[in-house]
Amino acid sequence: MARIYQTASSGEAQVRVAVVNSRDEADLLVHRVSSWGVAHGDALWYITHNKQDATCVISFVSVGMAQVKICFIDTYGEAGWQKESRYKK
């Protein structure tokens, strides 16, 4: 999931994602990075404006519609899956 493109259409998205405020509610703790080179795995995201550059297309939705719940964190080393998911690589 490392290079992320955000679409407004949940039908176009590969994964529907909800942002939660609590780490305890999240399936995945995500750390946003500033370059492609640092983005890797499922938890270190580089948000791109170009769909063709993305490795995953997501749509932000409500918690009830989400396939994965994420919490953005500032700590690089704590980023990762909190719970099992079929999207986990």
Side-chain angles (χ1 to χ4, degrees):
M1 270 197 233
R3 291 188 309 252
I4 306 297
Y5 176 79
Q6 177 187 348
T7 181
S9 167
S10 62
E12 182 183 10
Q14 294 169 308
V15 182
R16 293 185 314 270
V17 175
V19 177
V20 295
N21 292 323
S22 169
R23 291 174 179 231
D24 294 334
E25 292 179 66
D27 301 316
L28 177 63
L29 300 178
V30 174
H31 179 71
R32 290 183 60 183
V33 296
S34 59
S35 70
W36 279 28
V38 180
H40 63 84
D42 291 336
L44 302 177
W45 287 12
Y46 175 78
I47 310 281
T48 181
H49 296 289
N50 300 314
K51 186 176 178 181
Q52 66 271 16
D53 294 336
T55 57
C56 187
V57 177
I58 67 167
S59 176
F60 288 111
V61 296
S62 67
V63 172
M65 296 291 296
Q67 295 166 303
V68 176
K69 294 179 284 184
I70 68 165
C71 181
F72 287 109
I73 61 169
D74 294 329
T75 310
Y76 181 91
E78 292 180 8
W81 287 98
Q82 297 288 94
K83 301 174 184 167
E84 284 300 315
S85 171
R86 69 181 182 140
Y87 300 100
K88 185 176 181 179
K89 292 183 181 177

